[in-house]
Amino acid sequence: MKKLLLHTCCAPCAIYVVQELSKEYDLSLYYFNSNIHPQTEYQKRLQEIISWANKNDIKLIEAEYKPEEWFIIAKGLEDESEGGKRCLECFQYRLEATAKLAKEDKFDLFSTTLSISPHKDAVAINKIGSALGKQYEVEFLEADWKKNNGFKIACQLSKEQNFYRQDYCGCTFSKRK
């Protein structure tokens, strides 16, 4: 099986995507989410994904939490609407880190769970991921996980697992809206 590095933001977004991808790939999850704020929220999501990954024998790589990096990237974009330029910068930030790690650790390809959200632009995510794949010479697996009831299925699976489910994307600016 090909090795795939899957960026994930939380267990509720990962559960369905992992269920589908594990049929074809040797998966490792990558928790790179310095955009999530405050740190207590970051930790809640992290602990949920750690617990679930351990229970299901899924490898999880945790990146260092560096919110100061995210605030530098978001500077001047604080008032952007959800789905706007700030989100594009966030996709770029997290997918680039994933592409770099995929290249360094010799994964065959990389992808993300981000497109499962009905609030996220899968076309933009795939465009950014594909460009980074070319730049780092690691294939990006394009997907729109919300299609074919993916989001609905993920919600149901999350409910069955009694996952903590957040009420905002993660960045402090999305919480304000």
Side-chain angles (χ1 to χ4, degrees):
M1 293 177 107
K2 286 186 173 185
K3 287 177 42 179
L4 188 147
L5 182 63
L6 181 65
H7 166 266
T8 186
C9 53
C10 62
C13 287
I15 191 167
Y16 171 70
V17 177
V18 167
Q19 177 182 290
E20 294 303 302
L21 288 176
S22 63
K23 296 171 186 174
E24 296 181 48
Y25 300 100
D26 176 14
L27 287 180
S28 293
L29 302 179
Y30 185 41
Y31 190 79
F32 180 86
N33 297 296
S34 291
N35 62 302
I36 297 174
H37 197 79
Q39 188 168 4
T40 53
E41 178 68 23
Y42 175 90
Q43 288 299 326
K44 280 184 197 175
R45 296 181 194 199
L46 174 60
Q47 291 311 310
E48 191 78 82
I49 196 82
I50 288 172
S51 174
W52 178 72
N54 285 341
K55 189 166 64 171
N56 291 282
D57 199 29
I58 302 166
K59 184 177 178 190
L60 174 68
I61 302 164
E62 178 193 349
E64 186 178 347
Y65 181 59
K66 296 180 181 180
E68 64 281 356
E69 283 184 1
W70 168 242
F71 286 116
I72 290 167
I73 291 166
K75 188 162 180 60
L77 302 172
E78 299 89 346
D79 294 325
E80 284 283 317
S81 62
E82 189 69 15
K85 190 170 184 340
R86 185 183 62 246
C87 292
L88 296 177
E89 290 298 324
C90 189
F91 302 154
Q92 176 76 29
Y93 173 59
R94 295 193 281 169
L95 289 175
E96 185 160 12
T98 308
K100 283 179 185 176
L101 183 61
K103 174 77 171 181
E104 289 168 11
D105 287 1
K106 298 180 176 26
F107 281 85
D108 298 300
L109 60 170
F110 73 103
S111 194
T112 182
T113 62
L114 290 171
S115 71
I116 198 156
S117 170
H119 306 290
K120 302 286 181 271
D121 182 347
V123 172
I125 291 166
N126 288 325
K127 183 177 178 185
I128 291 167
S130 292
L132 289 166
K134 288 179 182 138
Q135 180 181 339
Y136 288 94
E137 300 175 330
V138 180
E139 182 183 348
F140 177 74
L141 179 68
E142 292 189 18
D144 185 348
W145 293 108
K146 66 184 138 296
K147 287 188 172 180
N148 301 316
N149 291 315
F151 180 71
K152 183 178 177 184
I153 295 167
C155 289
Q156 182 59 42
L157 292 170
S158 296
K159 190 175 183 179
E160 290 169 9
Q161 294 289 321
N162 199 29
F163 282 158
Y164 161 71
R165 188 164 193 90
Q166 61 281 355
D167 62 358
Y168 69 106
C169 169
C171 102
T172 192
F173 311 113
S174 69
K175 187 171 177 74
R176 289 191 319 210
K177 304 289 180 198

